[in-house]
């Protein structure tokens, strides 16, 4: 039985991230560490938001960083919440898997500005009162535009 639970936040979009997580499984298990991944923990019919909140509240989190990580709504939601709760005694283990430059947030910020603008157009066309889920996502995208630089600097400094 695993004594320590470590949540893993990563983008499935690149094989390098998946390989890093897979490669961590055996040494973690040998040290009584259970790696918790959404694709293994979420059961059919469960919402990913519940798992994402558990990551934000976890004591130990491995964050596998890549360019696609910073273009993933789910990954950045997790990172944003880790950042906001950073003072709660968490231990975060960042791992870089590609040539993402954590000192240059311009690409990530431009990506989220574009996503924000597209979604804003949809909300404007549909009317905010008719698309509450889109409004929630839009607010997240606004947060990501405003915090991407801080998130990258923060996680790069760990």
């Amino acid at each position: 039985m695993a004594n320590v639970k470590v949540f893993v936040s990563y983008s499935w979009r690149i094989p390098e991230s998946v390989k890093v997580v897979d490669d961590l499984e055996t040494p973690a298990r040998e040290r009584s560490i259970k790696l918790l991944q959404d694709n293994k923990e979420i059961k059919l019919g469960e919402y990913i938001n519940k798992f994402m909140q558990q990551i934000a509240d976890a004591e130990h989190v491995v964050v596998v960083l890549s360019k696609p990580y910073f273009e993933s709504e789910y990954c950045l939601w997790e990172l944003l919440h880790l950042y906001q709760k950073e003072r709660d005694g968490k231990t975060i283990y960042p791992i870089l898997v590609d040539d993402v430059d954590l000192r240059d947030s311009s690409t990530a910020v431009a990506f989220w500005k574009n996503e924000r603008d597209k979604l804003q157009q949809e909300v404007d066309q549909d009317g905010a009162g008719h698309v509450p889920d889109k409004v929630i996502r839009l607010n997240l995208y606004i947060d990501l535009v405003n915090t991407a630089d801080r998130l990258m600097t923060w996680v790069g400094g760990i």
Side-chain angles (χ1 to χ4, degrees):
M1 177 98 185
N3 295 329
V4 177
K5 293 181 179 178
V6 178
F7 282 80
V8 183
S9 177
Y10 68 105
S11 172
W12 300 349
R13 293 192 319 182
I14 61 169
E16 293 88 349
S17 291
V18 175
K19 182 176 179 348
V20 164
V21 175
D22 289 345
D23 289 348
L24 288 173
E25 280 287 340
T26 299
R29 191 172 32 258
E30 290 170 354
R31 291 169 181 79
S32 297
I33 297 169
K34 178 165 175 62
L35 295 182
L36 301 168
Q37 305 167 53
D38 55 1
N39 63 338
K40 293 183 179 179
E41 299 299 318
I42 298 173
K43 295 171 182 58
L44 187 62
E46 290 183 341
Y47 291 101
I48 192 167
N49 292 357
K50 180 180 174 186
F51 183 83
M52 289 168 52
Q53 187 59 51
Q54 289 175 329
I55 287 179
D57 293 335
E59 288 184 41
H60 303 280
V61 182
V62 171
V63 183
V64 184
L65 303 167
S66 61
K67 288 178 184 177
Y69 185 93
F70 289 100
E71 295 178 354
S72 166
E73 177 179 330
Y74 293 123
C75 292
L76 283 191
W77 186 96
E78 293 166 358
L79 191 62
L80 177 62
H81 284 79
L82 285 169
Y83 172 76
Q84 291 170 338
K85 295 183 176 191
E86 179 228 351
R87 292 172 198 82
D88 292 346
K90 297 182 181 327
T91 305
I92 299 169
Y93 310 93
I95 300 172
L96 292 174
V97 296
D98 63 15
D99 62 348
V100 63
D101 183 355
L102 298 174
R103 296 166 297 171
D104 180 8
S105 64
S106 60
T107 303
V109 170
F111 174 85
W112 287 109
K113 281 182 177 179
N114 185 51
E115 293 299 302
R116 175 204 60 199
D117 293 347
K118 288 190 301 190
L119 193 53
Q120 181 69 62
Q121 285 181 337
E122 290 179 30
V123 169
D124 290 345
Q125 288 173 342
D126 297 338
H130 298 290
V131 287
D133 290 342
K134 284 185 181 181
V135 172
I136 291 169
R137 281 184 45 226
L138 179 60
N139 289 330
L140 172 61
Y141 292 5
I142 291 168
D143 284 347
L144 296 179
V145 168
N146 293 330
T147 60
D149 184 63
R150 272 182 281 154
L151 290 174
M152 292 177 81
T153 300
W154 170 69
V155 78
I158 296 175

